[in-house]
Amino acid sequence: MTATDPSLTALANGWAALYLLYGRIEAHIERALQSAHDLSVREYSLLDVLSRQHDGEGGHLQMKQVADAVVLSQSATTRLVTRLEDRGLLSRYLCPTDRRGIYADVSDAGLRLLREARPTNDAALREALGEAAGNPRLAPLVTALEAMHPAQRNAALLPAR
C-alpha cells in the first residue's frame, strides 16, 4: 500500500467527514448549552452519566469508568468533577467497601440543571443533524445514525427526513 492507495484515501475521507460532523454537532450543542444553562457539553455529559448511576450491584462508576464514559483523561475528568463540585452540582465520596475507590454523585441541584438542559441538548442535536443532513458529504453519516436507532427518530432525538 502506498500513501495514495485509493482505499486509504477513501478511509481518510470518511474519517474526515465523521470528524467534521462530530465537531459541528459538538459546537452547536456547546453554544446552546452555554447560552441557556451556563453548561459545557462535557459538563452536561458528566452530569448525564452520573445521573444514570443507581444503588446496587454495578450501580456506581469509579472515576476511571466516568473518564471513559465522557471520553476524557482521568486528570481532565478530575478537574471537571472539581468544577462541578465547586458549583454544588455533584459531590465525591469514598467507596464504602474499598477506600481507594472514589465515586461522584449528582446533587439535587445538578439533577435539576440536567433536567432543564436536556431539552436544549436534544433540540441542538436535532438542529445540528438537520443541518448536516443537507450537506452531501455528511448526509450518509446522518443516515447511518438514523439507522442505528430508527425508533428514536420519532422520540425527537434525530431529525425526521
Side-chain angles (χ1 to χ4, degrees), residues 44-87:
Y44 175 89
S45 295
L46 179 64
L47 290 174
D48 185 53
V49 165
L50 293 176
S51 75
R52 297 173 194 278
Q53 294 186 130
H54 57 85
D55 291 331
E57 188 68 29
H60 293 277
L61 300 175
Q62 292 181 344
M63 293 305 289
K64 174 161 183 4
Q65 293 170 302
V66 172
D68 290 345
V70 295
V71 194
L72 289 173
S73 68
Q74 283 188 264
S75 61
T77 301
T78 298
R79 288 190 301 274
L80 183 59
V81 165
T82 299
R83 281 198 314 271
L84 292 175
E85 188 174 36
D86 289 347
R87 290 175 61 186

Side-chain angles (χ1 to χ4, degrees), residues 48 52 118 121-123 125-126 129 142-161:
D48 185 53
R52 297 173 194 278
R118 186 165 276 124
N121 180 79
D122 293 349
L125 175 58
R126 279 192 310 275
L129 287 170
V142 174
T143 300
L145 285 172
E146 290 174 340
M148 291 174 65
H149 300 287
Q152 290 182 348
R153 189 174 326 119
N154 295 330
L157 287 179
L158 297 175
R161 296 287 219 78

Side-chain angles (χ1 to χ4, degrees), residues 14-152:
W15 165 241
L18 180 60
Y19 186 71
L20 177 63
L21 178 62
Y22 171 81
R24 286 184 178 187
I25 290 170
E26 183 178 50
H28 195 86
I29 294 172
E30 180 81 24
R31 285 189 301 273
L33 288 173
Q34 281 290 345
S35 172
H37 307 283
D38 192 30
L39 200 60
S40 73
V41 169
R42 297 289 185 185
E43 291 167 339
Y44 175 89
S45 295
L46 179 64
L47 290 174
D48 185 53
V49 165
L50 293 176
S51 75
R52 297 173 194 278
Q53 294 186 130
H54 57 85
D55 291 331
E57 188 68 29
H60 293 277
L61 300 175
Q62 292 181 344
M63 293 305 289
K64 174 161 183 4
Q65 293 170 302
V66 172
D68 290 345
V70 295
V71 194
L72 289 173
S73 68
Q74 283 188 264
S75 61
T77 301
T78 298
R79 288 190 301 274
L80 183 59
V81 165
T82 299
R83 281 198 314 271
L84 292 175
E85 188 174 36
D86 289 347
R87 290 175 61 186
L89 300 175
L90 57 81
S91 61
R92 280 183 268 207
Y93 61 96
L94 292 175
C95 173
T97 58
D98 179 359
R99 302 305 264 174
R100 296 170 296 169
I102 299 174
Y103 296 118
D105 209 2
V106 181
S107 68
D108 289 341
L111 289 172
R112 274 192 307 278
L113 180 58
L114 183 61
R115 276 193 302 273
E116 292 168 6
R118 186 165 276 124
T120 303
N121 180 79
D122 293 349
L125 175 58
R126 279 192 310 275
E127 290 167 7
L129 287 170
E131 289 173 13
N135 179 325
R137 188 169 173 209
L138 302 178
L141 296 171
V142 174
T143 300
L145 285 172
E146 290 174 340
M148 291 174 65
H149 300 287
Q152 290 182 348

